[in-house]
Structures are given as C-alpha cells and as structure tokens.
Amino acid sequence: MFVTPIVSALSFLVCVYIYQKWSRYSAFRTAAAKYSCHRPRRYPHTEPFWGYDLVRKLAKAARKGQQSELYEELFRQNGKTFENRLFTTNVINTMDSANIQTVATSSFQDYAKSSEGERFLKPAFGRGVFTTDGAAWKHSRNLIRPIFSRSDMSDLNYLGPFIDRLFEKIPRDGSTFDLQPLSHKLGLDIATDSVFGQSVDSLLIETPFESFQFVKSFNAMLAGTGKRKRFGKLASLRFAFDTEWKKAYTEIHDWVDVQVKRALQETEDESQLSSEKGAKSEESSPQPRYILLYEMAKQIRDPVELRFQTLQVFLPAANTSPLILANCLFYLARKPEIWTKLRQDALALGDQPLTFELLRTLIYFRHVFWETLRVRGLSSPIVREAIRDTVLPVGGGPDGLSPIFVAKGTEVAMHIRGQGHDTDFWGEDVHTFRPERFTDRRILWQWVPFFGGPRICLANQQVQTQFLYELVRLVREFERIENRDECIEYIETTNPLMKSKNGVKIALFPA
Ligand code: HEM
C-alpha cells in the first residue's frame, strides 16, 4: 500500500538529481564553448562523495599546527588552482593573483559572503560588515568608513598610556618572558577603548576581575568559532550540544550591551555629546577622538543592531594587531640585527612626536611590517560563494592556463598566504624573514594581505600606523632583544586565529 508513494517520491528525487546534473553539465558546455573553459585539477580524494579524507587531513594538520604547510604542499602538488569536495560543496582553491583579482573586482557581483556555511556564526556575531552582502553590507561599510579615515589622521597619543602599561609588565633584568599574551592584552585594551570607549584594562598591574572574565569569555568565543568554521555547513549538527560557546558569547554580548546602553544615553542629545567630547578632547589631545560606538550610536538607535555592528569591527581590532606585533617580535628575536637597525632609525627621529605623517616616513619599519604579514599574517583563506554561474580567468586544463567555469553554489577559497609564499614571485627564500625583499619591489595583485576591490580591509592604514607606533616605542625603550626559546621554528596553532604555539619567549634589555 505504501510502496507506490515511496517509489514515486524516490523517482521524483532521482529525476531532480538527474535534471540538476544535466543542467550543470549543459551550463558547463555553454561556458566551455563561449570562454574556452576547462576543468581545474581535482584533488585526488580517496573518499570523493563527501571529501572527508581531506577534511580529516586538514583537521589533523590544524591540531599539529601544520595547516599552512599542508596547503603549501597541496598547491605544490596540484598547481595554483585546484578543486576539492567539502561535504556537499565544491570548493575551488586558488592562490592565483588573476583569479583573486577577478573575484574581488570585475566579478564582484557574482559572489557573496553570507553562505549557508556562515549561518552558524549569526547567534554570536549577528549582522554587520563581515556577514552581510548587498545593501545591508553597503550600509554597514558606509557607517564604518569615515571613522577609519579620520582615525588615521588623528593624534596617536592615546596609544601612549597603553604602551606604558605594557612596558611595566616587561622584566627589565633580562629575564625570560612571553610577549604573546601581553601583546594580546595590549590589543584587547586598545580595541575596547577605541571601539567602545571603555577599555577592559587587562594590562593594569591590578587587573579587575571583570577584565579577567572578559578575556576568558572572549577567548572561548573565538575558540568555539574556530571549531565551527572548520565544519562549515555541518557545524550546527556537530556542535548542537556544545553550550560553552553560547555561554561565552552571551557574556560578551552582556558586556557590549552595557556599553551600548551608555552610548545610546549619551548620544540622545547630540549637542550635549559634542560639547562633552569636545571638552574631553581639549584636556587630552588637540583633536577629538572618534569612538566607533558613539559615532554609530548617532545613526543606529536599535541596541541589538548597534551591538552586532560594533562587535564585528571589535573582533579584528582585538585580534589582528596583537598577532602581528607578537609575530614580528618572534622573528626579530631570531634576527636581532634587524632590531638594531630599527633602533637606529627610531633614535634618528629625536624626540619628535610620533604622528601619522612621521611614521609613514619610516620605510624600513614598514618593510618589517609587510614581511611579518607575508611570513605570518592571517592564514585562513578568504571564501566566497558563487551566487550565479560565472568564470575564473585561469586554472583550467592540464597546464592550468584556461578559464574555469564556476557553477552557482561553488565556493572559491582565495589563499593569500599562498600568494605570499609563491616562489615564482618572491624567489626561493619564501620562508626566510627578510624585510629587505620589499626594497624597490612593486606589488599590485601579486599579494593582497588586506584583500582588494570594494571589500578591501577598511583598517589597513590604521593597523599599519598602530603597529609602527608600538614598534618605534619598543625599540626606543629597549636596546637589545634575545630569543629565549629553544625551538627556533614557528609552530603555528590556528584556533581560531593563527598564533605561535610556543608563544614568543624573549628577553629585552633596556637602554
Ligand atoms: C594585520 C591586520 C589585518 C589584516 C591582515 C586584515 C585583512 C583583512 C582582509 C583580508 C579583509 C577581507 C576579508 C573578506 O572580505 O573576507 C578584511 C576586511 C575587513 N577588515 Fe581587516 N585586516 C586586519 C586588521 C583589521 C582591523 C584591526 C580592523 C578593525 C579595526 C579591520 C577591519 C576590517 C573590516 C571592517 C573589514 C570588512 C570589509 C568589508 O567586508 O567591507 N581589519 N581585513
């Protein structure tokens, strides 16, 4: 009795499957004829249905801190563009500059960020500049953009007290300490101050309990996000009973909501705020300081929207700058001659105030910044999902030079770290930390650490300026740096952001 409907349903599903396959195939044939497309190299899966073999390999490499090395090997074996299966999705991995430029610019409209796979992030991160597309994304980006362009130019003196606190935590008798956690606290203190107008002061000698709790919850929130990211669309299933992440992000939301409430109250009467802030700025610095939350609160009055919009900027602000500073010192400790050179440049400035314009003139410092980003910048690929059938210019065919047809629903994973380690562009010594490689080198799309096109990182100038300020202060204060880690190699751990597994164990000697 039940057999007939079951058979009918199954037949229907089979017909849908065949129709989908056929329409994909005919779309490919049309594109192949029109653009001379060929298929990219396929990763040789041992389990081709779900691609679970590669998922396991990646998870194992991540556990051992060898994810970047694994991708390097995959590109070496499969060329600069190859395809793999990730559960139900086809992923095109590419480190080819022509493809990355196309996705970022000319085919921008063919791709979106907010794929199914990122949906699991919504409870923690809501909607904001990183998780939206189209009009909602434009709205978020337009809200944020002016704050970055103004903060670039503004007085950098507000960073001073935070660096002083860092100096208080650094032993001055040449004993060993780990800079990595200190750098993360520095980043957190600066980011909470500049995004919310209220620092958690985790670097203060007498650190308040809430600050410890904040750091703990924030780390748990990030760790939970990292775990989920690796499982993509299956994350909700895999972590359905894991309540720790929810507890962590709820605590962070509660903290942010207190700041949001205060900002909404204080911006209720705009003129009152302007005069108060004006007074504040006169006391401490000649220019007004722009605090993201307060600027946004003038335009967004919904507390939940305000929470998520600011949280999405806070996240990179609190993570990326400290990571770059810590990674830089990791390498400088192993190449102390670079420290000496930086110190000479910094001392040559005399006691001029460290302004944005002055910092921009420090060419060697900037090369050190770029080299740190190249060797140990952000390691996760930038992923986009094709929202319509489209084409990538290279990567197809046996020689990898033909265009590729990208069917709707395919993910394109752009590996910026791969670009930064491309021996065709950089030469054979890609693993050596050598800032001099940037001297007289013209770089366009060959390496885009801040991405490019309409979604280029909004903070690229600000990140560099903050880094230069911190490094100048450090080399002025300390004459010498020494590595105190027996392990010379950088062992990476990537949960959720890449950092050194062994920390950054160094000694600094005051002048
Ligand atoms: C060394 C540090 C940093 C690097 C290498 C970096 C890199 C990037 C990259 C590659 C993107 C594009 C991501 C994508 O489209 O999927 C991006 C976007 C963005 N970054 Fe950064 N970033 C850094 C620091 C920061 C900081 C400190 C902030 C905030 C204070 C920030 C704010 C943003 C914003 C708002 C976007 C979103 C742009 C959009 O989608 O319209 N970044 N960043």
Side-chain angles (χ1 to χ4, degrees), residues 129-385:
V129 70
F130 277 101
T131 49
T132 47
D133 290 293
W137 161 70
K138 260 193 197 145
H139 167 70
S140 299
R141 196 168 163 104
N142 288 341
L143 277 173
I144 300 167
R145 190 191 287 119
I147 286 129
F148 283 108
S149 45
R150 277 177 291 189
S151 62
D152 279 347
M153 302 302 156
S154 69
D155 189 354
L156 296 169
N157 279 337
Y158 79 95
L159 290 170
F162 294 107
I163 310 292
D164 294 341
R165 284 179 198 169
L166 174 74
F167 287 171
E168 281 174 34
K169 293 274 181 185
I170 296 178
R172 303 182 82 85
D173 58 357
S175 47
T176 306
F177 73 102
D178 186 354
L179 179 94
Q180 193 164 257
L182 292 182
S183 178
H184 278 272
K185 285 184 176 185
L186 174 72
L188 206 57
D189 288 359
I190 295 174
T192 40
D193 183 57
S194 60
V195 175
F196 301 112
Q198 174 69 58
S199 176
V200 289
D201 290 337
S202 62
L203 266 179
L204 272 186
I205 302 286
E206 295 292 326
T207 308
F209 173 75
E210 312 87 78
S211 159
F212 276 122
Q213 194 52 40
F214 183 91
V215 176
K216 216 173 128 201
S217 308
F218 188 63
N219 289 341
M221 177 178 174
L222 291 180
T225 305
K227 279 197 292 189
R228 281 159 179 80
K229 248 190 150 150
R230 278 204 291 279
F231 278 83
K233 289 178 186 172
L234 298 187
S236 315
L237 283 178
R238 170 69 176 76
F239 299 104
F241 302 105
D242 171 11
T243 50
E244 226 170 79
W245 188 56
K246 186 170 181 205
K247 184 168 172 277
Y249 72 67
T250 307
E251 277 170 9
I252 296 298
H253 289 177
D254 291 346
W255 186 88
V256 174
D257 288 349
V258 172
Q259 318 310 321
V260 165
K261 196 169 165 202
R262 191 194 61 232
L264 284 172
Q265 278 164 2
E266 288 187 25
T267 47
E268 215 154 13
D269 178 355
E270 183 108 349
S271 59
Q272 181 202 335
L273 176 85
S274 312
S275 60
E276 268 180 21
K277 286 187 96 187
K280 246 190 223 169
S281 64
E282 266 165 41
E283 279 165 27
S284 50
S285 68
Q287 293 187 41
R289 274 198 55 209
Y290 291 95
I291 291 163
L292 184 83
L293 174 62
Y294 282 81
E295 293 302 313
M296 279 193 164
K298 291 177 192 168
Q299 302 190 46
I300 302 173
R301 304 303 293 174
D302 172 12
V304 175
E305 189 188 348
L306 203 47
R307 174 214 287 164
F308 287 129
Q309 292 278 6
T310 46
L311 198 55
Q312 290 214 2
V313 180
F314 171 65
L315 207 72
N319 282 298
T320 53
S321 303
L323 174 80
I324 299 302
L325 184 69
N327 285 349
C328 178
L329 264 69
F330 179 94
Y331 286 102
L332 296 190
R334 282 147 181 83
K335 294 210 159 187
E337 65 280 8
I338 300 180
W339 184 279
T340 310
K341 200 166 168 210
L342 289 169
R343 186 169 152 80
Q344 279 164 4
D345 286 2
L347 294 181
L349 298 174
D351 49 12
Q352 298 178 68
L354 297 179
T355 59
F356 173 74
E357 289 76 17
L358 184 70
L359 292 171
R360 277 186 73 84
T361 63
L362 299 174
I363 306 290
Y364 192 60
F365 273 83
R366 281 164 63 189
H367 290 172
V368 168
F369 171 74
W370 291 117
E371 183 66 344
T372 308
L373 261 191
R374 187 193 68 79
V375 178
R376 291 288 160 195
L378 311 185
S379 59
S380 324
I382 299 174
V383 181
R384 295 286 188 272
E385 181 178 332

